[in-house]
Amino acid sequence: MLFETSAHAAPAAHGAAHVAEAAHAIASAPPEGMATIVTVCVLAPIVGAAIAGFFGRRIGNIPSQLVTTGLLFLSCVLGWYTFIQHTWGGMPDFTIKLLDFINIGDFKSAWSVRIDALSATMLVVVTTVSSLVHLYSWGYMSEDDSRPRFFSYLSLFTFAMLMLVTAADFMQLFFGWEGVGLASYLLIGFWFQKDSASSAAIKAFVVNRVGDFGFALGIMTIFWQFGTINFGELFPLLANQHGHAWEFAGMYFSALDLAAFLLFIGAMGKSAQFFLHTWLPDAMEGPTPVSALIHAATMVTAGVYMVCLLSPLFEMAPQAKMIVAYVGAITAIFAASIGFTQNDIKRVIAYSTCSQLGYMFFAAGVGAYQAAMFHLFTHAFFKALLFLGAGSVIHGMHHEQDMRKMGGLWKYLPVTYAVMTIGTIAITGLGIPYTEIGFAGFFSKDAIIESAWVMHGTAQGTFAFWMGILAALLTSFYSFRLVFMTFHGKKTWEQGKHGDHGHDDHHAHDDHGHGHAHTPHESPWIMLVPLIALAVGAVAAGFVFAPYFIGEHAHAFWGNAIQVAADNHVMHDAHHIEEVWVKLAPLVVTLIGLALAWYFYLLRPSLPKKMAANEGPIWTFLYNKWFFDEIYQATFVKLTKWLGDVFWKIGDVKIIDGLGPNGVAWTALKSAKNLVKTQTGYVYHYAFFMFLGVVGLLTWAVFGLAH
């Protein structure tokens, strides 16, 4: 579409001009001492990763854990200090150049640390969750002999994530993007002796490469259009390209929409959105601390962070922005619909992550970038809490993950039960509308749903609102289903022996190698302390930070880190919704979901069992995850194998080998073998052949003279 011919071209152009005026090139000098603080914050994890990785076997398990965990807590303290200085200390945005990276013609990139509201927020999220996961892993991984390798991988991931969120250009962003992908591969397949873990790691790596291909094309498109990949230089130039189109095969594409869409494909892969989501549930094969760190609170939110960082671009790319809203809304309802049929405690939480990421994306798609980042922030606390809480349950149940083999655990794991209940209340968004009473998810999720309602005049806004409401109902149902099946009801773990199927850990049996029923036990305090800390965040992160992320201080807090067009009033209008039912709808559906979970899993627990046993079409469809894995196996995987066979058996064997080693080369070899037989080594044989040659020459000469 050519936007200059659109009826909305004038308002859009006005919005583009507003964004151009607000576009920031962070050039302020850092306050005294801050350059050192943020540099140490970003680089400390890689120092720990190097020490544990290269010298872990020599120094041992405990020193490796001390070094990596200590440096992570140092990074966490410095990250919080940076965030507080930016939020309440009036610290300006700034960028620190560490060293040059690439300098080829106009293509220039430098290692930098960019500090603004977005990066400061992510510093807190990444370092807080990572440091607590490091501490939690002291208890969870205590039986593993490869702890130096594990802690090195954790710290390597944290470093890559910090490089990503503090990048000042696309090249460093891409480095961090691929770095977290590498660390994810290493951590998912940490127990590489298990075929399922190795397969899950490969699957995550391959699916993310699909998204990263689009991401790389998006970066190339940006450089092709603007001649720069530096954010500070890029954003003021966007208005010049607004309304320009690119012709390909007789069709016209908005240049900015094309770039934004390609970049969003990368976000779809990294953040496990619809179509590219299949890797995330299988990633649960990794140790539970990995799930909490990478697949709940940090890496999978990188796509959301990138879209919000590029808000100036997406504000001028309405078609790409609309796609973001639709994909996010579809993901929210799709993942939630699968979550309530799964029985593996970690997979339920994994699909919950997909669904919550969908909320964040459709918030950005309707222009509520601030609400998307707020939900990213609060989600980090309660989702990490739920994953680590699930790990505590698995640890206490001697590595059982099937919720059907749990029940009645609240007496045996009281602290874990309490904190997981807090996390469940937070993720379902329970709170009282028109008040400041509620857990973290209440403030951020309701803000997203209300922002979608503000855009109900558009198709994507209406769709996102209703999908958000329905997803809230399903979220409440499967979240409380998890609590009821795990901690309440009949003690099904007393009924039989526990085998080693679908387990998180490879230490599933006792010292004699026999699986048997154990009495559940609470986790050690070194695992419970991180859970309690995250529970505090799940309770307080909403009402403490709401004024800064989406409230009266939001404009001052975000500054130029998030930029919206002049005609984007979504966040303002979301605070002035007059329809009471819109404000009450999330609470009503959440209570309905809670009531349904209570009815099915506490009052009538035989009903879900009968429904599963009947294997009806709806249950089968949801239990098999919409058959995405089967569809991809039947199409992409088999097609890839078929193409591989064609290139191998026909292209390589028949054509290349047939004409090469098995063709011309074979003929020459065969001829040489026959020719060599004439070399007998007898002088009289050679004399005879010389005689024949002379006779032949004389014969040719005689006949030549005669004619």
Side-chain angles (χ1 to χ4, degrees), residues 1 90 124 143 215 258-259 267 280 333 391 427 430 512 550 639 643 660:
M1 175 184 291
V124 167
E143 300 175 15
F215 188 53
L258 176 65
L280 184 59
I333 190 63
I427 195 174
L430 275 176
H512 303 287
I550 59 172
L639 175 62
L643 286 174

Side-chain angles (χ1 to χ4, degrees), residues 8 34 133 167 259 349 367 411 415 439 442 457 521 534 561-562 581 704:
H8 300 288
M34 285 305 301
V133 165
I349 303 174
K411 291 182 179 180
V415 178
F439 285 14
F442 164 69
H521 60 83
L534 290 168
I562 290 179
W581 71 269

Side-chain angles (χ1 to χ4, degrees), residues 345 393 403 406-410 481-488:
I345 188 171
V393 172
M403 296 187 298
M406 298 181 184
L409 295 180
W410 70 273
R481 168 182 179 263
L482 184 151
V483 172
F484 295 153
M485 288 184 70
T486 303
F487 296 103
H488 295 277

Side-chain angles (χ1 to χ4, degrees), residues 45-314:
I46 193 61
V47 176
I51 293 173
F54 292 120
F55 307 106
R57 289 189 177 183
R58 292 186 179 182
I59 64 178
N61 290 326
I62 300 302
S64 297
Q65 295 171 201
L66 280 170
V67 169
T68 52
T69 306
L71 287 172
L72 249 300
F73 271 94
L74 171 63
S75 186
C76 179
V77 170
L78 298 179
W80 273 100
Y81 179 78
T82 303
F83 179 77
I84 291 170
Q85 285 295 104
H86 189 279
T87 304
W88 292 290
M91 184 177 70
D93 300 344
F94 60 88
T95 297
I96 305 166
K97 179 180 176 181
L98 301 180
L99 69 155
D100 288 324
F101 180 30
I102 296 176
N103 193 343
I104 304 174
D106 294 332
F107 192 87
K108 303 180 190 302
S109 176
W111 295 114
S112 305
V113 178
R114 189 193 87 260
I115 297 298
D116 59 8
L118 278 170
S119 59
T121 299
M122 294 303 293
L123 284 181
V124 167
V125 169
V126 174
T127 59
T128 300
V129 175
S130 184
S131 59
L132 292 175
V133 165
H134 273 72
L135 181 62
Y136 177 93
S137 299
W138 279 55
Y140 193 87
M141 301 295 291
S142 61
E143 300 175 15
D144 199 288
D145 295 330
S146 301
R147 276 172 280 167
R149 178 165 62 93
F150 179 76
F151 280 86
S152 176
Y153 289 170
L154 284 184
S155 292
L156 173 64
F157 165 80
T158 306
F159 165 71
M161 192 68 196
L162 291 176
M163 293 301 291
L164 187 159
V165 301
T166 58
D169 62 42
F170 275 108
M171 203 65 229
Q172 184 178 326
L173 180 69
F174 189 73
F175 168 83
W177 199 269
E178 296 303 307
V180 295
L182 168 65
S184 175
Y185 170 79
L186 295 173
L187 285 165
I188 295 170
F190 179 76
W191 288 318
F192 54 85
Q193 301 92 338
K194 296 169 58 179
D195 290 339
S196 57
S198 296
S199 298
I202 294 171
K203 184 176 183 179
F205 195 81
V206 171
V207 174
N208 272 275
R209 295 293 72 71
V210 175
D212 292 352
F213 180 68
F215 188 53
L217 289 177
I219 296 174
M220 295 175 195
T221 304
I222 289 290
F223 183 73
W224 167 62
Q225 292 186 59
F226 300 99
T228 182
I229 58 171
N230 184 279
F231 301 137
E233 297 173 359
L234 169 67
F235 294 157
L237 301 176
L238 291 173
N240 298 330
Q241 283 290 103
H242 191 266
H244 289 196
W246 177 58
E247 183 179 3
F248 177 76
M251 298 180 290
Y252 290 90
F253 302 90
S254 163
L256 295 181
D257 274 302
L258 176 65
F261 172 69
L262 289 172
L263 292 169
F264 176 61
I265 292 177
M268 289 176 64
K270 195 66 69 185
S271 297
Q273 292 299 282
F274 193 65
F275 290 127
L276 296 180
H277 66 278
T278 53
W279 67 270
L280 184 59
D282 288 355
M284 299 303 105
E285 288 291 337
T288 299
V290 173
S291 303
L293 176 62
I294 294 181
H295 308 120
T298 53
M299 188 190 84
V300 291
T301 61
V304 179
Y305 165 79
M306 187 263 287
V307 171
C308 294
L309 172 67
L310 300 180
S311 57
L313 171 63
F314 279 89

Side-chain angles (χ1 to χ4, degrees), residues 485-556:
M485 288 184 70
T486 303
F487 296 103
H488 295 277
K490 191 175 182 180
K491 300 175 184 178
T492 54
W493 49 270
E494 293 182 332
Q495 295 177 356
K497 298 180 179 181
H498 298 295
D500 186 25
H501 51 280
H503 291 164
D504 172 75
D505 202 336
H506 54 294
H507 305 294
H509 298 284
D510 66 7
D511 293 337
H512 303 287
H514 303 292
H516 58 80
H518 299 268
T519 300
H521 60 83
E522 185 61 276
S523 298
W525 279 104
I526 201 162
M527 292 172 63
L528 296 179
V529 168
L531 290 175
I532 294 171
L534 290 168
V536 172
V539 173
F543 66 81
V544 171
F545 292 101
Y548 300 94
F549 281 83
I550 59 172
E552 62 269 23
H553 303 302
H555 181 73

Side-chain angles (χ1 to χ4, degrees), residues 393-394 397-402 405-406 498-499 501 503:
V393 172
I394 294 167
M397 286 293 295
H398 304 276
H399 311 289
E400 180 61 74
Q401 292 183 212
D402 193 333
K405 298 180 180 179
M406 298 181 184
H498 298 295
H501 51 280
H503 291 164

Side-chain angles (χ1 to χ4, degrees), residues 638-658:
K638 288 189 176 181
L639 175 62
T640 302
K641 288 182 178 179
W642 178 80
L643 286 174
D645 285 343
V646 168
F647 285 117
W648 166 39
K649 296 179 179 179
I650 297 177
D652 190 18
V653 174
K654 292 187 177 181
I655 298 177
I656 297 175
D657 288 349

